[in-house]
Amino acid sequence: CVITIFFLLVIAFEFFDNMIPAILMPTCWALIGVSDWNTAFSGFTNSTVFMIFGAFVFANILQDTGLLKRIAFLCIYRLGGNFRGLMIGIFVAGVVLSFITFGNAYVIMGTITLGICAALGLKPGKTSSALMMMVILGTLSVRVFTYSPALFEMLSAQAQIVIGPDFDLTLSSALMHQWPIAIVCVLMVFIFIRMYRPEEELVGGKEHVKYELDRMGPLSLREKKALVMLMLLLIYLLTNPIHGWDSQWGFLIIPFLCFFPGLRVAEARNTIKKVNYSMIFFMASCISIGGVATSLGIGKVIASLCLPIFSNVGGYTQLILIWLLTFALNFVMTPLAIMSTITVPVCEIAMSLNIDPTVYTYAILHGCEAILFPYEYVAYLVVYSFGMMTMKEFDPKREFLFDYITVVA
């Protein structure tokens, strides 16, 4: 327990690259005898890790072809023109890109929005922060229903330790269970438009987007091929309830077909080099936490201590308690570390109370997305680091209100 806490704090405060503690943590477990070697490194052989690798590779392929940028510019151009149009356009483009990149669109949307701010001559302030908030809302807040394998598969991997291999959170289940959040996000867009409307109308944003589209020219052959492969993957994931095959096969096969002779959508060497391997190693190490904790019986101990509390309150209160616990842990732990730490005991409680664990795992997911300050989550920090959003406009009170509304939904 001390070893785990130490390395999670090292990761939280970013003393080193995440790959270093991700390797040292399971190594220390095995060396000290906390668990055997196979259990300590069980996360590194988990199929979820290879699925995330495939998702990262495919996102890089789509970005290298220019398809993502074209789709984003088209959405903004069709809806943009004034402040209201730009806000809606950036949000819609973010949602579309988040859906097709499986939650990895925040960097490219941040870059595009930064270019729009520069074209409008905006300095860091209220208006630029509003546009960047649309990046956050459209690419990050929506991931609970547009499906992010890094989050959903981490929860699934930990829950399967308790429930078994049949438990899986897929794209179709995300859309089916989390659709109310889409309504909340749309409402928040119009609330932000009213809150941040500038005194003078913006001029030049649509012209900048049209210039970028004209410079890209017609749809290239590589973009057409990438679009076909994207549609193939989406069809596979959306029809999961029909064919019943694991979602992971789509990410393990389709992205790598893009490198085959005849298709050659992207160059394998350059695309694979850009993958965030530190994140993959960190995820594998986090999955191992659940395996080691289960082998030591820690999950059952925590579940037995919390069971009397949960058995005496209603279902809605149970969800709020789980959400509050996750929300509090956000201040000192990364979302993946939180999921790897509390998912097993929470699922143990659900099984003891004969409650569908899916509901509890969604409460953890929403708690991890409940961000008050950008430092709590790397993705939010990346958007904030573009320099167009002030800390004053990243208002904790407003963020907490949005997070609470999503939980109620």
Side-chain angles (χ1 to χ4, degrees):
C1 184
V2 175
I3 295 171
T4 306
I5 292 173
F6 170 76
F7 280 111
L8 289 179
L9 288 174
V10 167
I11 292 168
F13 290 103
E14 299 180 340
F15 292 127
F16 310 105
D17 186 283
N18 282 347
M19 188 179 290
I20 297 172
I23 295 174
L24 288 178
M25 182 164 62
T27 301
C28 289
W29 291 334
L31 282 175
I32 297 174
V34 173
S35 70
D36 60 80
W37 182 272
N38 290 336
T39 304
F41 284 89
S42 57
F44 290 82
T45 58
N46 192 292
S47 59
T48 296
V49 175
F50 295 92
M51 175 185 175
I52 302 305
F53 174 67
F56 283 177
V57 169
F58 198 57
N60 288 342
I61 290 172
L62 295 177
Q63 186 162 339
D64 288 346
T65 60
L67 182 63
L68 296 184
K69 187 178 289 188
R70 183 183 296 275
I71 292 172
F73 280 137
L74 279 171
C75 291
I76 297 170
Y77 180 71
R78 297 299 181 191
L79 296 168
N82 53 25
F83 175 74
R84 182 175 181 272
L86 279 176
M87 292 279 282
I88 296 173
I90 292 171
F91 170 73
V92 171
V95 173
V96 173
L97 263 62
S98 181
F99 183 71
I100 65 179
T101 61
F102 309 100
N104 292 295
Y106 54 93
V107 175
I108 188 168
M109 279 307 303
T111 305
I112 289 170
T113 306
L114 179 64
I116 292 173
C117 289
L120 293 170
L122 295 177
K123 303 295 182 184
K126 187 175 179 180
T127 304
S128 63
S129 295
L131 296 178
M132 281 296 177
M133 279 303 300
M134 291 303 98
V135 176
I136 289 176
L137 198 62
T139 63
L140 298 176
S141 300
V142 301
R143 292 190 300 181
V144 295
F145 71 86
T146 59
Y147 183 70
S148 170
L151 301 177
F152 280 75
E153 292 303 321
M154 171 60 80
L155 281 171
S156 295
Q158 295 299 320
Q160 286 169 2
I161 295 173
V162 178
I163 304 165
D166 292 335
F167 183 88
D168 193 18
L169 299 175
T170 63
L171 173 59
S172 55
S173 65
L175 293 172
M176 182 172 61
H177 297 151
Q178 302 287 339
W179 63 265
I181 307 305
I183 299 174
V184 175
C185 289
V186 172
L187 289 174
M188 294 302 293
V189 170
F190 289 98
I191 290 172
F192 286 153
I193 289 173
R194 289 186 62 87
M195 287 174 57
Y196 291 98
R197 186 180 297 278
E199 295 180 2
E200 296 182 4
E201 192 54 73
L202 301 179
V203 179
K206 191 167 186 176
E207 289 74 9
H208 168 74
V209 173
K210 188 177 186 306
Y211 168 76
E212 292 291 342
L213 277 173
D214 291 341
R215 197 172 67 164
M216 293 182 74
L219 199 68
S220 68
L221 181 61
R222 288 180 64 211
E223 288 177 282
K224 292 176 182 177
K225 291 179 181 178
L227 189 58
V228 170
M229 300 305 287
L230 171 63
M231 295 304 299
L232 184 62
L233 180 57
L234 289 177
I235 291 170
Y236 176 82
L237 294 174
L238 289 170
T239 55
N240 178 268
I242 299 173
H243 55 66
W245 298 333
D246 201 308
S247 301
Q248 295 167 349
W249 292 116
F251 288 98
L252 290 172
I253 296 174
I254 293 174
F256 300 99
L257 289 177
C258 295
F259 303 122
F260 272 49
L263 283 175
R264 192 77 66 172
V265 180
E267 291 296 327
R269 182 176 300 177
N270 295 331
T271 303
I272 293 176
K273 271 184 180 179
K274 297 177 184 177
V275 172
N276 187 347
Y277 289 100
S278 294
M279 179 59 70
I280 292 175
F281 272 74
F282 173 52
M283 186 172 296
S285 188
C286 284
I287 293 174
S288 297
I289 292 175
V292 172
T294 301
S295 69
L296 297 174
I298 294 175
K300 291 186 180 295
V301 172
I302 296 175
S304 63
L305 292 173
C306 296
L307 191 59
I309 300 173
F310 278 76
S311 59
N312 291 322
V313 297
Y316 184 73
T317 305
Q318 293 173 4
L319 293 179
I320 292 296
L321 288 174
I322 295 171
W323 181 82
L324 286 173
L325 172 62
T326 312
F327 171 76
L329 290 174
N330 261 331
F331 291 101
V332 294
M333 297 173 68
T334 66
L336 294 180
I338 294 170
M339 290 178 184
S340 65
T341 303
I342 70 172
T343 303
V344 169
V346 162
C347 288
E348 294 273 10
I349 294 171
M351 298 294 283
S352 300
L353 296 174
N354 292 319
I355 295 174
D356 185 356
T358 305
V359 181
Y360 281 6
T361 56
Y362 283 143
I364 295 172
L365 178 63
H366 284 282
C368 287
E369 293 290 336
I371 303 300
L372 292 190
F373 303 100
Y375 82 87
E376 297 176 39
Y377 204 150
V378 173
Y380 288 79
L381 187 60
V382 168
V383 177
Y384 179 77
S385 67
F386 279 101
M388 299 307 294
M389 178 180 285
T390 64
M391 185 58 75
K392 178 183 176 183
E393 300 304 332
F394 202 101
D395 183 6
K397 295 189 293 297
R398 186 199 59 235
E399 290 296 312
F400 185 82
L401 175 63
F402 171 70
D403 297 330
Y404 181 76
I405 291 173
T406 58
V407 171
V408 173

